[in-house]
Structures are given as C-alpha cells and as structure tokens.
Amino acid sequence: MPDEEVTRPELARAVLDAAKAKRTANPPPRKRTQKEKRLRGYSGPGPDPRDPQPFGAVLAKLVKARGWEKPTAEATVFGDWAKVVGPDIAEHCRPVKLEDGELTIEAESTAWATKLRLLARKLLAGIAAQVGHNVVTKLHVHGPAAPSWMKGPRRVRGRGPRDTYG
C-alpha cells in the first residue's frame, strides 16, 4: 500500500507536467481584432455577408472553387444549343459529341450540312462568345445518317442498293 501512495502523486505530477508542455507547444488561439470581430444580431438595412445569397451566385462560386468551368461550358453547348447558335440554325442541326475541343454536328439534310460548313467560322465565333474561348476549336459537320442496306429481313445478296435503283 505505501507504494501506491507514493506513485499516485508522482503520476498526478507527470500528467500535470504533460498538460503544461502541450499548452506551451500549442498556444491558445489569439483574440479577434476589431476587423475580425464576429457579427452578431440582425444584419440591418445594408448589405451583409450573412444575407441570403442568390442561388446562381452560390452555384457560380462553387463551380469556380471546384474547377468545373470547362465541363460546365461544354455542357452549355449541348443544353442551350438554340441559344448558342441561334434558333433558326438549331432547328436544322444538333450537336452529337464534343471531344478534345472538336464538336461534331449532325445536320438534317446534306444541303444544311453544306451550309453549316460554309458558316463554320461564324458558328465558332458565336460559340466562343456564348460559352468561352477554346471550348470548341473545330467543327465536324455530317449530313443525316443514311439507312443501312446491310441488315434486315429483306436483305438479298447481290450488288446492294444499286439493284434497287436501276
């Protein structure tokens, strides 16, 4: 029993010394200055950082903080196609894919495909103005997809569609 009485005060002294050493190693946080003072109460009539923020502003801040500017701009090309190229052009074509800055567009007819190829510079400038530069750097315009004659129940071996048209 006498050993326990001797070790208990020594143990308490060791714990106290360890706590003091920890406190000197990690000083308590400093007090806030007048500028850093925490705002309390109501915000009042003027603008205040505690005021509710518009959802668009909060979302824009999040996109910038996470580095999502480029994926957001690429998604805008597909989501707002009519706004990006104009409603009259958007009626006759649609974006198919965007890879490495190259946008593939499918036109509803070969005539519109030709027209879009001629308007490529204007379209690239309009896209750059709407979604930002270097999002789309090149356009690939395709006409409508032709029907496949290679599969189906009425497939006949032979020369293919040339037989059908004379």
Side-chain angles (χ1 to χ4, degrees), residues 26-89:
N26 298 329
R30 62 181 178 80
K31 290 189 175 188
R32 296 180 183 177
T33 63
Q34 187 65 24
K35 268 189 172 179
E36 298 172 336
K37 196 171 190 180
R38 182 176 172 151
L39 301 172
R40 297 179 186 266
Y42 296 105
S43 65
D48 193 289
R50 296 173 292 170
D51 290 342
Q53 301 295 315
F55 183 70
V58 173
L59 189 61
K61 198 181 294 184
L62 176 70
V63 166
K64 187 173 184 179
R66 299 278 173 106
W68 293 340
E69 290 95 355
K70 187 165 183 169
T72 304
E74 291 174 355
T76 303
V77 171
F78 290 93
D80 289 337
W81 181 243
K83 187 177 174 184
V84 170
V85 296
D88 46 334
I89 293 176

